[in-house]
Amino acid sequence: MTNNSLSGKKYFALNDDQRLNWLRLIRSQNVGPATFRDLISHYGTAELALEAIPELAKRGGAAAKIKVFSRDDAEREMALARHYGAHFLGIGEPEYPVNLRNAEGAPPLLCFRGSQNALKQQSLAIVGSRNSSIAGMKITERLSGQIGREGYIIVSGLARGIDTAAHKAALSTGTVAVFAGGVDHVFPPENMELASAILGNEGALVSEMPMGWQPRAKDFPRRNRIITGLAKAVLVVEAARKSGSLITARIANEMGRTVLAIPGSPLDPRSHGTNNLIREGATLVTSMEDIIEAISPLDGPGEDSENMVSEGENDIFEHDSYKKDDLPMEIREKIISALGPSPVLIDDILEFTGATPGELHLTLLELSLAGKLERHPGGLVSTIDI
């Protein structure tokens, strides 16, 4: 099924009203990136999709009325963003970061403060332990500064330890910090000055979360997805066996990004994760030259927006051929019966049920909005409590 991907390389500049409706749609209950794209593909605009959400959720078996983000709430968030000098970029707009735009699960709306230019350049993500060693901090500072001087933007998560070292060393050359909360909420608080320095040195602060949002534990893997999506490759400096850095490396593998790792002492628990990454196929690096050798073949020209402007917001996503909402009950039931708690490929569902892509698309939309569908990397889906 193709509805979750962009249509070619078309771009579309949102006007103020469309941007507000996109914000309302992505902030509405049970609407994630994939469901957002499916809704636009099916209804053509965010405005029409917003009108359809309550009935779709009802048909999907929602236990209660779904919460649609109100226009007033969206206007308040827009006003707060303007107060902080933040802007919202739609995934179909030419300024949206190219690497992230082409990543699975990319945020439909990206909120950022700072320099758009920092989002356009080739970048390397650097992640690692919050409880970092002195050696880990030193090598991070050295490599981050060197790679920055080679023309790469350094992307990280503004966390304590390795992230902080990576950002500080790249201030003069450009760095992007990705937040798990709103771009107005610096976390941890002791990095408030560092965040200001990033903005003052033509860098950027980025998030998909609402303004004012305080990060929860489950928000950090979402942040890691953006860190990985922005970059051509991910360098892991230190990571224990169970750490957020290893989650980032796993996401990088799922996205087809190159994973680099710096080896460490087998006696240091902070190196167990990186050493295991190398054993499993990550590229071992110890110098700036190693990194350049690994990532320079990945560099290429950015997308050219000339002659790629679409006519409307629905044109940036692949079209849904099934435009009716009156899906026959027997088809819906057959699709639902084919689903279960174990993830399955969408193509396998189509083959098993004989449904058309559009019929399956609409049924999955209903289940998603009812909170009964879970989407997994690689086009897999499973059901929740059906």
Side-chain angles (χ1 to χ4, degrees):
M1 218 168 79
T2 56
N3 299 89
N4 289 332
S5 56
L6 292 170
S7 180
K9 294 181 179 178
K10 290 184 177 179
Y11 293 118
F12 175 69
L14 297 169
N15 61 38
D16 290 343
D17 197 52
Q18 289 166 330
R19 199 178 307 277
L20 192 72
N21 284 328
W22 274 43
L23 181 60
R24 289 186 62 199
L25 187 58
I26 194 57
R27 297 284 187 257
S28 292
Q29 185 181 1
N30 295 335
V31 177
T35 301
F36 180 99
R37 295 184 185 198
D38 283 352
L39 283 164
I40 298 290
S41 295
H42 190 75
Y43 291 99
T45 67
E47 183 178 12
L48 292 175
L50 286 163
E51 295 173 3
I53 283 177
E55 179 60 26
L56 287 171
K58 181 180 178 181
R59 292 206 305 259
K65 187 176 180 180
I66 194 169
K67 296 177 182 178
V68 177
F69 202 64
S70 72
R71 188 176 184 89
D72 286 346
D73 285 341
E75 288 175 343
R76 278 192 287 270
E77 185 172 347
M78 286 285 192
L80 186 58
R82 287 193 295 271
H83 173 76
Y84 281 92
H87 307 272
F88 290 95
L89 280 177
I91 194 170
E93 297 190 283
E95 298 85 5
Y96 193 95
V98 172
N99 288 341
L100 184 59
R101 169 184 163 88
N102 294 322
E104 183 178 3
L109 269 185
L110 192 67
C111 188
F112 80 97
R113 297 169 63 189
S115 171
Q116 277 193 18
N117 189 53
L119 302 177
K120 294 179 180 179
Q121 299 182 49
Q122 301 287 4
S123 58
L124 171 72
I126 299 180
V127 297
S129 174
R130 289 176 172 83
N131 181 30
S132 52
S133 67
I134 294 175
M137 295 282 280
K138 284 187 174 181
I139 195 167
T140 299
E141 290 169 357
R142 176 163 61 86
L143 293 177
S144 179
Q146 290 174 340
I147 294 298
R149 289 188 289 275
E150 289 293 317
Y152 292 88
I153 295 292
I154 300 300
V155 180
S156 197
L158 204 74
R160 301 178 182 94
I162 297 301
D163 289 19
T164 294
H167 287 305
K168 284 183 175 179
L171 282 174
S172 63
T173 55
T175 183
V176 172
V178 184
F179 286 17
V183 293
D184 58 332
H185 188 85
V186 176
F187 183 85
E190 62 259 35
N191 274 346
M192 185 79 71
E193 186 176 334
L194 176 56
S196 297
I198 290 172
L199 293 175
N201 285 274
E202 299 298 313
L205 311 179
V206 172
S207 178
E208 66 175 322
M209 303 304 287
M211 298 294 295
W213 188 266
Q214 297 191 22
R216 307 159 300 177
K218 66 181 181 180
D219 296 324
F220 288 93
R222 295 180 63 174
R223 177 205 64 177
N224 296 345
R225 189 184 85 251
I226 298 177
I227 290 173
T228 301
L230 285 168
K232 286 286 187 181
V234 175
L235 171 63
V236 184
V237 179
E238 288 182 331
R241 290 192 188 278
K242 294 182 179 181
S243 68
S245 299
L246 294 187
I247 293 174
T248 307
R250 175 180 56 77
I251 294 170
N253 279 321
E254 291 170 352
M255 287 188 180
R257 302 294 195 257
T258 296
V259 177
L260 316 173
I262 294 176
S265 168
L267 301 178
D268 188 343
R270 289 167 294 200
S271 295
H272 289 174
T274 47
N275 290 345
N276 194 54
L277 284 175
I278 293 168
R279 188 178 67 179
E280 292 179 349
T283 300
L284 185 155
V285 298
T286 58
S287 67
M288 182 266 289
E289 289 77 16
D290 292 340
I291 297 172
I292 295 297
E293 181 181 353
I295 66 176
S296 58
L298 307 175
D299 296 342
E303 293 179 0
D304 184 0
S305 61
E306 188 176 353
N307 298 322
M308 293 183 186
V309 179
S310 67
E311 295 297 323
E313 57 190 283
N314 63 316
D315 288 333
I316 64 172
F317 301 122
E318 293 188 357
H319 288 279
D320 173 17
S321 60
Y322 189 87
K323 292 302 180 184
K324 298 182 292 183
D325 278 347
D326 55 341
L327 185 67
M329 182 60 69
E330 62 271 18
I331 295 175
R332 180 183 289 109
E333 290 177 349
K334 192 172 185 180
I335 292 170
I336 292 174
S337 68
L339 296 167
S342 298
V344 292
L345 283 168
I346 287 175
D347 287 344
D348 289 345
I349 302 171
L350 288 171
E351 183 178 355
F352 181 79
T353 63
T356 67
E359 290 167 344
L360 177 56
H361 162 225
L362 184 57
T363 303
L364 295 183
L365 261 182
E366 294 170 352
L367 294 173
S368 293
L369 292 168
K372 296 189 174 184
L373 187 80
E374 184 174 359
R375 297 179 186 268
H376 307 270
L380 294 163
V381 294
S382 63
T383 49
I384 306 169
D385 190 30
I386 286 189

